[in-house]
Amino acid sequence: MFVDIAKIFIKGGDGGNGAVSFRREKYVPRGGPDGGDGGDGGDVIFVVDPGMRTLMDFRYKKHYRAESGHNGGPNNMKGKDGEDLIIRVPPGTVIRDFETGKVLADLTHPGQQKVLARGGRGGKGNARFATPTRQTPRFAQPGEKGEERWVVLELKSIADVGLIGFPNVGKSTILSVLTSARPKIANYPFTTLTPNLGVVEVDREHSFILADIPGLIEGAHKGLGLGHDFLRHIERTRMLVHVVDASGIEGRDPVQDFYIINQELQAYSTELAQRPQIVAANKCDLPGAEHNVKRLKEELEPKGIKVFPVSATQNQGFKELVWEIVEMLEKLPFVESFEEEVAETYDNTPEQEPFEITRDGDVYVVSGPAVDRLMASVNLDNYDSLQYFQRALRRRGIIDALKEKGIQNGDTVRINDMEFEFIE
């Protein structure tokens, strides 16, 4: 079974909690705090595996979580970091955020990798909070939560040249003649249900990858027939070989077929419709083909689209076709990758993280990454931790920002689910 789109959930590992511990050894007076830091959570990393051809592995397993970091221990023992989770995908996989639709990664080269869900940082142990005035801190930071999101994986086949055309015009047969690929071939529509790729070796210096794209029909851009389930596979090709049935043996007009397919390409993607094309007039060994080849040349060659009469069953006419492809590819640039959004990364200077202050009636609401991380790092039931929390609010500029908004003593401040009374 061929699977070329999948939706999965990924989550980085949570950071381990910092430890609260005090050194107690014989003959060591006033040992002091020695709670170690928690380990960092593992990242979720996507890696290109050239041995994979489909997204079949994601058909049944939908949730992927990296290992969480271990908690810190006494004697300043740092918790073990969580193991990264490696997710292997085939070349040509585009990964989008499910909520926004933004491209997070475009993975095309073997071994290429991308971190898409970072693990949370481990919390600090109480030894990290000792100061000359606070020598016995009885609190530690909990670990941060790992990033999580739903993502959509789309496989877009990587090929230099795409074979397009109506079903049953001989695309698969042409692929089998020019390459070592052996696609399923039969005389009925939609024989090809998966994109087939093969390497055309012209000589020692010239070769290219050829893809047989499943047949298109009128209305394909709306999803009719195999629709845009497979139109995505020609988005990466540098040029198109448009295969038509020159014999018209099935009652179709090859000239009309050419324009119908191009209308579908235009409706699906204007950029795709502008890719250079040449026409392979297949089945030219059958009666009536010579007349239709002449019509095709008269119609298309004045527009700069060359027509090559070929016969896949007789293996005729392909030398000229192949060398024309080679010459065109040498002049064509590679298709640019899909633009990736900048991946979110942790900032080691949390004081610079953004926050926002709004009003909900008489309540001042503070929100944003700065306060989310701060709330996750303190224990409000502990006095020392609460003191640390108040100093952190001032250090990150939140107190000053509240004053600028006009807050007065006794007013209510809401941070996430917690409400406080403001006292200067």
Side-chain angles (χ1 to χ4, degrees), residues 210-228:
L210 181 66
D212 162 25
I213 308 300
L216 305 178
I217 64 171
E218 190 171 4
H221 72 280
K222 299 178 181 178
L224 298 181
L226 298 179
H228 46 261

Side-chain angles (χ1 to χ4, degrees), residues 36-50:
D37 298 343
D40 296 335
D43 299 333
V44 178
I45 306 173
F46 286 82
V47 178
V48 176
D49 183 349

